[in-house]
Amino acid sequence: YGNELSRVGAGLVEHLLTPLFQQAKKDAKALEEKLAKQLEKARDHEAKGNLEKAADGYREILKYTGTPPVGEAGEAMKALLGKLTAPEADPAQGLKTLKGWQKDFKGTVLEEPIKDAIQDLNKRLPAP
């Protein structure tokens, strides 16, 4: 949209730019609705106990920024980390899952919480 704004200085009148901004609003709203639906599906998977599919759904949402579903997906992923490291969780299974997530979430805000969870589970595993 920056290129379009530069045209204002070149003599393009405001009434021609207005539809561009209206379309941008529609597109942003459509994206937010799409992400909200994806968030709902991911939460359904989590409720059914399918943490892998839930994490995949949250991961897709976290590719975007600036919308409420993205923030909620980040919080949901942190909650999944909590489930995997809970005292009653199987440390070996949780460790396997988290190591896969570590690669997938490298460079994101979830990288450090995943590393911390891996360290926690490593401490809980029995010595070989």
Side-chain angles (χ1 to χ4, degrees):
Y1 296 109
N3 291 338
E4 298 302 323
L5 288 176
S6 68
R7 292 183 187 183
V8 172
L12 188 61
V13 291
E14 183 180 327
H15 75 277
L16 295 177
L17 283 178
T18 302
L20 293 174
F21 292 114
Q22 289 173 340
Q23 185 61 43
K25 281 183 181 179
K26 288 179 187 176
D27 291 346
K29 184 168 177 62
L31 176 62
E32 189 171 336
E33 289 172 358
K34 175 185 169 190
L35 293 175
K37 286 179 185 176
Q38 286 180 324
L39 181 62
E40 188 176 318
K41 282 178 78 174
R43 284 185 174 156
D44 287 344
H45 286 300
E46 184 177 354
K48 292 177 183 174
N50 192 340
L51 299 183
E52 292 294 327
K53 283 190 177 182
D56 289 342
Y58 295 138
R59 184 179 304 121
E60 288 300 312
I61 296 166
L62 290 170
K63 291 179 181 177
Y64 299 91
T65 59
T67 64
V70 174
E72 291 178 38
E75 292 302 315
M77 278 300 295
K78 288 179 183 176
L80 279 181
L81 288 174
K83 287 181 181 180
L84 290 172
T85 58
E88 65 275 1
D90 176 19
Q93 181 60 38
L95 195 58
K96 179 181 173 189
T97 301
L98 288 173
K99 285 186 177 181
W101 289 1
Q102 187 177 23
K103 294 174 189 171
D104 296 336
F105 288 101
K106 188 173 184 150
T108 70
V109 296
L110 294 172
E111 183 177 14
E112 285 304 312
I114 290 172
K115 285 181 181 178
D116 293 342
I118 288 173
Q119 287 177 351
D120 181 50
L121 288 177
N122 277 327
K123 291 175 189 173
R124 290 181 34 208
L125 282 174

